[in-house]
Amino acid sequence: MGNFLPALFSLPFGVLGFFAMFRQGQLIGSGLLWFALWPLSAIVLVNFLGLFQNGQMRQLLAKRLSAPLAEPKTASWFVGFARPAFKDLLDPHEDVGFLVLRDDRIEFLGESIQVEIQKRQIHKISFRPNVHTIIGLGGWLSVDGTVDGTRVRLLVEPREKKTLLGNLLLNRRIRKKLRAWHSPSAEGDDNPEQ
């Protein structure tokens, strides 16, 4: 629905523009203006409607994962998740769940996937583009590491806020917190936000 609703409400601009250009017999004119409103309105609508029913998903999953989420943690965030091999043009998220920061590891506790990376196995915490980046409304928080000699990458995108743009801004704050938690100076520090 998060992709369907923006398409449904923005498509009339494209159709109106196409017919206006066809009827007027010219590319430049009011038809082009209407046609240009199609992708612009789609981007605005994706920002506001792209996380349709996100709050309900969060509540249901939090109830289902109440035991692991209740264990001692530094922080947790509701996120979309994907393995690096997952590809989908409309939705970059393979699963939804919680990114949980513990003293010694990062975990993703999802609807169908669960992953953990020990703090000592992590090499890099960075931003990586995804399909939301193309329209300026998102991107991955990437945690790269090595587990048993194999390179791994945890890709998550915050879904805490009501808009994609709000979550893009949150992505930066979470990366900053994770980097502080992972830095050698944070060893033994119970509060990585200091």
Side-chain angles (χ1 to χ4, degrees):
M1 291 301 283
N3 292 318
F4 176 73
L5 290 175
L8 178 69
F9 293 128
S10 65
L11 186 59
F13 290 112
V15 171
L16 184 62
F18 176 77
F19 281 117
M21 286 188 282
F22 182 76
R23 190 178 66 239
Q24 294 169 358
Q26 58 184 7
L27 184 62
I28 306 296
S30 63
L32 181 61
L33 177 64
W34 284 108
F35 198 78
L37 284 174
W38 176 23
L40 294 175
S41 64
I43 290 170
V44 170
L45 289 167
V46 164
N47 180 52
F48 290 103
L49 300 175
L51 298 174
F52 183 75
Q53 294 187 327
N54 191 58
Q56 290 90 333
M57 282 191 291
R58 185 185 200 286
Q59 285 179 324
L60 288 172
L61 200 52
K63 190 179 289 186
R64 199 169 109 197
L65 297 170
S66 61
L69 287 174
E71 293 172 17
K73 62 184 176 290
T74 303
S76 68
W77 303 272
F78 189 58
V79 298
F81 164 88
R83 290 174 276 214
F86 179 77
K87 302 288 183 240
D88 187 322
L89 284 176
L90 295 178
D91 187 359
H93 303 157
E94 180 178 5
D95 196 3
V96 294
F98 292 90
L99 181 67
V100 180
L101 185 61
R102 310 248 190 233
D103 288 337
D104 62 342
R105 67 192 183 280
I106 292 176
E107 294 177 334
F108 171 74
L109 304 172
E111 195 170 24
S112 60
I113 299 170
Q114 300 197 350
V115 176
E116 78 174 43
I117 303 176
Q118 297 295 317
K119 185 177 191 176
R120 60 182 162 69
Q121 296 170 322
I122 296 170
H123 304 301
K124 183 178 171 187
I125 297 165
S126 61
F127 177 85
R128 289 189 166 275
N130 67 18
V131 71
H132 293 149
T133 311
I134 295 168
I135 58 173
L137 294 176
W140 294 120
L141 184 159
S142 176
V143 178
D144 294 272
T146 304
V147 176
D148 297 330
T150 303
R151 294 178 64 108
V152 296
R153 177 171 292 148
L154 173 71
L155 297 170
V156 296
E157 184 173 31
R159 295 177 66 114
E160 285 283 327
K161 304 293 184 181
K162 292 183 179 183
T163 65
L164 289 173
L165 187 56
N167 285 306
L168 175 62
L169 299 173
L170 178 60
N171 187 323
R172 183 175 183 203
R173 292 196 308 270
I174 296 172
R175 278 195 325 268
K176 185 177 178 182
K177 181 168 185 159
L178 293 182
R179 286 176 179 153
W181 164 83
H182 185 252
S183 74
S185 64
E187 291 297 327
D189 185 359
D190 291 334
N191 185 4
E193 284 192 301
Q194 289 182 340

